[in-house]
Amino acid sequence: MGTEIRTARVENATREHAPALLAYFARRVDQPHDAADLLAETLLVLWRRASALPVEDTEVRPWMFGIGRNVLMHYRRRALRQRAISDKLRSILSATPAPASLTLPNTTRSTEPLRHWTQSTKTSSDSFTGTDFL
């Protein structure tokens, strides 16, 4: 099969089945942008594997959905791994006391910027707020 014919078949398959794939992903993920990302990944795989595109038009949709299913499985595994790593890091950080140099009393931390602001002159406060050019 020639490159132009293969490209045309992939474009036709994308045009015809991408909306259904997007709906498939949207029903299975929480965020709409994740569904769009999954569709983009699926279409990228489709372009890479264009030479494996089924000859029969009736076989194209199931083939594309098979690719989509695999992309979705990878997405879910990646999300589980990321959540597990985040939970582990969160537990490690919550169990480890912060170094003394990083902890300030709450009163010092909250009033420090205000003290600097009230002690500054009008000129320095204008340049601090970005109004010195007016």
Side-chain angles (χ1 to χ4, degrees):
M1 185 183 305
T3 305
E4 294 90 23
I5 295 171
R6 188 178 311 136
T7 300
R9 291 196 68 231
V10 169
E11 287 173 353
N12 288 338
T14 300
R15 212 174 295 111
E16 187 174 339
H17 302 296
L21 273 169
L22 182 59
Y24 170 80
F25 291 132
R27 288 189 305 268
R28 287 161 175 80
V29 296
D30 295 330
Q31 300 295 322
H33 60 77
D34 287 340
D37 289 345
L38 291 169
L39 176 64
E41 281 186 53
T42 302
L43 295 179
L44 183 62
V45 173
L46 174 69
W47 277 106
R48 284 186 191 149
R49 298 192 53 214
S51 61
L53 186 69
V55 177
E56 293 293 323
D57 289 336
T58 58
E59 296 174 1
V60 172
R61 182 181 171 102
W63 183 74
M64 287 179 68
F65 272 82
I67 292 171
R69 183 176 156 272
N70 290 337
V71 168
L72 182 61
M73 285 189 322
H74 291 298
Y75 164 82
R76 287 180 175 163
R77 279 192 295 254
R78 187 172 50 240
L80 285 173
R81 280 193 306 266
Q82 185 177 14
R83 212 168 317 160
I85 290 170
S86 295
D87 291 345
K88 185 174 183 175
L89 181 60
R90 194 175 298 112
S91 69
I92 290 170
L93 291 176
S94 67
T96 306
S101 62
L102 295 179
T103 57
L104 295 173
N106 283 339
T107 56
T108 306
R109 189 181 310 140
S110 62
T111 59
E112 189 65 33
L114 293 176
R115 188 165 14 128
H116 179 279
W117 177 260
T118 56
Q119 292 174 353
S120 64
T121 64
K122 180 174 178 9
T123 309
S124 66
S125 66
D126 286 345
S127 64
F128 182 73
T129 60
T131 58
D132 57 342
F133 63 89
L134 297 178

